[in-house]
Amino acid sequence: MSGANFDELDLFVWEGKADILERIARCMASFDVEVIRADSLATPDPERGVAARPSVAVISVTVIDGGGLAQATERLQGMPVIWVAAGSRERDSRTYPPEYLHVLPFDFTCAELRTMVAKLVRQLRAREVAPQAPDVLVAHSEAMKALLAEVGAFADCDHSVLVRGETGVGKERIAQQLHLGHKHYSKGAFVAVNCGAIPDGLFESLFFGHNKGSFTGAVHAHRGYFEQATGGTLFLDEIGDLPRYQQVKLLRVLEDNAVTRLGATAPIRVDFRLVAATNRNLREMVASGEFRADLFYRLAVIELHIPSLEERGEVDKIAIFKALLSNVLGAELDVLGETPHWLSDAVAETYFPGNVRQLRNLAERVGVIARQLHCWDQNLIQRAIALTRGTPTPSLSGERGGMNGSGGGGASLDGSNDRKGWNSGERNRIIAALEINDWKRQDTAQHLGISRKVLWEKMRKYQILDGEPGIPEDA
């Protein structure tokens, strides 16, 4: 066919009782195509197939009558399939499985074969866009450096990985690093699934797939998540939200390495690397009966803990914020100039319970303000930071106190300073927050929207002892 591009293509042919192999070979003789008799192959060649070269299967419907369909299905490994009808140009849907829509007549011409193969090759190449490596992860803190060292050590193993961490720390980013670091599975797809967002009653269809007509509304066949991830990585986020009845079905797939679509009888082999993530304590859930112990042990062959922003410290906070801000502003950052020190200080002092996700939100807010006003407007940016913290916004009249102390002059929220230079309004607010939170510093820091370190520094400044506020000397 003129214009067709079949460079480095494999055609696996199951001809059954039909004599189609030689015809196919003659039709593709002028192209870089290897026609392989698949009926006689006992086991798949690990150096061939989807991972190595684009591959298309051509199967005669006579394979069904000969009982060879199960073997063919097992060896397809995600290849698109062209069915060749038996002795008639009429397309009869009763003679081939409903999930495959590409059918050639028995007396197909070379032009018909090449046209259909070219169509499927284009679809394959559209899907074979190499996964893009995520941006380099910021890792100045020792905690993050240690995590990335573990990721590098375990990326190229085949075992399941459980990634633990608070909401917003970047569990999917770490899962992508694990995927890209595997020499085999990195060539396949990275399929990410939020287990907490699976609608009731659709688990089997979404994960296992279904055949056309298997239930009302199934107008097309569907490859489930397990099939989609074959040859790659399946990332199950929020695995702790998976109900127990779904947990047992996931465990069965992990043990059997096979799935059966809804409406089908023949199992399909699957091969993927599983990475699961959670912000919950699965060990406690196992103890309480909420999570199956046998599934936990299958998931947690390797466990990785992602540190929170507070654990990573101020240096990582500032570096991540600047990187995110650079992504938002792009070339405009060169015009605006270096991020001002007061902004970096405010970011360092802020407690982000939403971690990197919340920090990204702040960077986007600040970026929009800077782009629209063409400057680092301190009043508006301080308001954005206060909204991020969930604290009252500073006055636009120039009194910038709040809890970060970056406004200069030490003005309190009520504008009063005592003779020691103490911000009495801020001191009283800290004491009140400590009492509300039973003098627990972490809870108090979160309540005030600052880091635990900043809270401790302010307690020392204002001579506030645990459980007993200090009394100013000149009170």
Side-chain angles (χ1 to χ4, degrees):
M1 175 184 174
S2 176
N5 184 3
F6 301 129
D7 293 340
E8 296 186 349
L9 172 68
D10 288 341
L11 278 183
F12 289 85
V13 180
W14 281 266
E15 61 177 355
K17 299 176 182 177
D19 185 15
I20 59 174
L21 183 74
E22 291 186 4
R23 278 198 290 153
I24 292 173
R26 286 196 300 270
C27 289
M28 310 305 291
S30 58
F31 301 98
D32 183 12
V33 175
E34 184 168 358
V35 179
I36 303 164
R37 183 187 299 274
D39 303 70
S40 61
L41 296 180
T43 57
D45 183 346
E47 297 301 321
R48 308 202 70 89
V50 177
R53 289 160 57 106
S55 305
V56 174
V58 182
I59 305 179
S60 167
V61 295
T62 61
V63 169
I64 300 174
D65 300 331
L69 180 61
Q71 181 196 21
T73 302
E74 182 177 340
R75 294 200 60 250
L76 289 178
Q77 297 291 316
M79 283 184 268
V81 175
I82 297 172
W83 288 90
V84 177
S88 171
R89 294 188 67 90
E90 295 298 323
R91 172 174 161 166
D92 184 351
S93 61
R94 293 171 297 178
T95 61
Y96 54 87
E99 62 264 35
Y100 299 115
L101 304 178
H102 308 289
V103 180
L104 286 174
F106 176 75
D107 54 348
F108 61 84
T109 65
C110 287
E112 287 174 321
L113 173 66
R114 292 169 186 169
T115 298
M116 191 165 289
V117 172
K119 175 183 177 181
L120 295 181
V121 168
R122 285 194 298 269
Q123 293 177 359
L124 271 177
R125 287 179 176 151
R127 296 203 310 259
E128 286 177 353
V129 177
Q132 296 297 312
D135 297 334
V136 176
L137 291 169
V138 173
H140 297 298
S141 64
E142 292 303 319
M144 200 62 187
K145 288 179 180 177
L147 170 66
L148 294 186
E150 287 187 272
V151 171
F154 298 121
D156 196 32
C157 73
D158 298 340
H159 298 291
S160 300
V161 181
L162 178 64
V163 181
R164 298 181 292 104
E166 296 178 5
T167 297
V169 292
K171 294 186 284 291
E172 185 167 346
R173 290 286 301 279
I174 293 299
Q176 289 172 337
Q177 295 286 344
L178 290 166
H179 169 69
L180 293 170
H182 198 287
K183 62 184 177 183
H184 295 306
Y185 291 129
S186 61
K187 298 174 184 176
F190 178 84
V191 180
V193 182
N194 186 338
C195 295
I198 303 298
D200 289 340
L202 292 182
F203 174 82
E204 287 79 4
S205 175
L206 292 175
F207 277 83
F208 290 82
H210 60 258
N211 281 351
K212 179 181 176 182
S214 57
F215 55 85
T216 302
V219 295
H220 300 291
H222 169 68
R223 295 169 64 238
Y225 296 138
F226 295 128
E227 281 189 73
Q228 294 174 32
T230 290
T233 299
L234 179 62
F235 173 58
L236 298 182
D237 198 9
E238 306 302 342
I239 189 72
D241 293 341
L242 206 63
R244 278 188 64 91
Y245 83 93
Q246 295 175 3
Q247 294 172 24
V248 68
K249 294 181 178 182
L250 171 60
L251 179 63
R252 176 59 62 187
V253 173
L254 296 180
E255 291 178 344
D256 295 348
N257 295 316
V259 297
T260 303
R261 293 182 182 179
L262 294 179
T265 56
I268 300 172
R269 300 289 297 177
V270 292
D271 175 28
F272 53 81
R273 204 268 187 91
L274 179 66
V275 179
T278 183
N279 61 359
R280 305 175 68 180
N281 190 325
L282 293 189
R283 284 184 169 81
E284 290 183 357
M285 294 179 66
V286 169
S288 65
E290 297 177 76
F291 202 86
R292 293 181 62 96
D294 44 6
L295 177 58
F296 172 75
Y297 298 133
R298 288 301 300 265
L299 296 176
V301 177
I302 299 166
E303 287 189 70
L304 299 176
H305 169 72
I306 305 179
S308 66
L309 269 183
E310 287 304 301
E311 292 174 295
R312 295 174 67 171
E314 296 179 359
V315 175
D316 270 12
K317 278 187 189 179
I318 296 172
I320 295 169
F321 177 78
K322 288 183 176 180
L324 295 171
L325 193 59
S326 177
N327 289 338
V328 175
L329 292 172
E332 294 179 61
L333 191 59
D334 296 332
V335 178
L336 290 165
E338 187 67 24
T339 307
H341 291 298
W342 58 263
L343 177 53
S344 297
D345 291 343
V347 169
E349 294 171 355
T350 300
Y351 171 68
F352 294 94
N355 291 289
V356 178
R357 186 179 294 123
Q358 186 179 0
L359 186 61
R360 178 182 292 108
N361 175 265
L362 176 61
E364 290 172 352
R365 289 188 183 191
V366 172
V368 169
I369 293 171
R371 179 190 296 119
Q372 296 303 116
L373 300 182
H374 309 291
C375 68
W376 303 107
D377 187 290
Q378 189 168 358
N379 277 342
L380 289 180
I381 291 175
Q382 289 282 19
R383 291 182 67 187
I385 293 171
L387 288 171
T388 298
R389 293 171 171 169
T391 57
T393 55
S395 167
L396 289 178
S397 64
E399 291 182 2
R400 293 181 297 271
M403 290 304 298
N404 63 1
S406 60
S412 68
L413 291 177
D414 59 7
S416 60
N417 290 329
D418 61 26
R419 285 174 292 174
K420 287 180 67 71
W422 281 2
N423 183 329
S424 58
E426 184 178 68
R427 183 178 189 274
N428 293 335
R429 184 164 170 244
I430 291 173
I431 294 171
L434 284 163
E435 290 175 346
I436 290 171
N437 292 281
D438 298 324
W439 291 80
K440 295 177 180 177
R441 292 181 193 169
Q442 185 65 43
D443 294 343
T444 303
Q446 184 173 353
H447 178 89
L448 294 171
I450 60 178
S451 69
R452 184 172 176 173
K453 178 182 178 182
V454 171
L455 173 62
W456 170 240
E457 290 174 348
K458 290 182 180 294
M459 289 176 68
R460 287 198 303 173
K461 173 183 176 181
Y462 296 130
Q463 299 179 11
I464 303 173
L465 306 177
D466 282 351
E468 183 180 358
I471 305 298
E473 295 175 0
D474 55 353

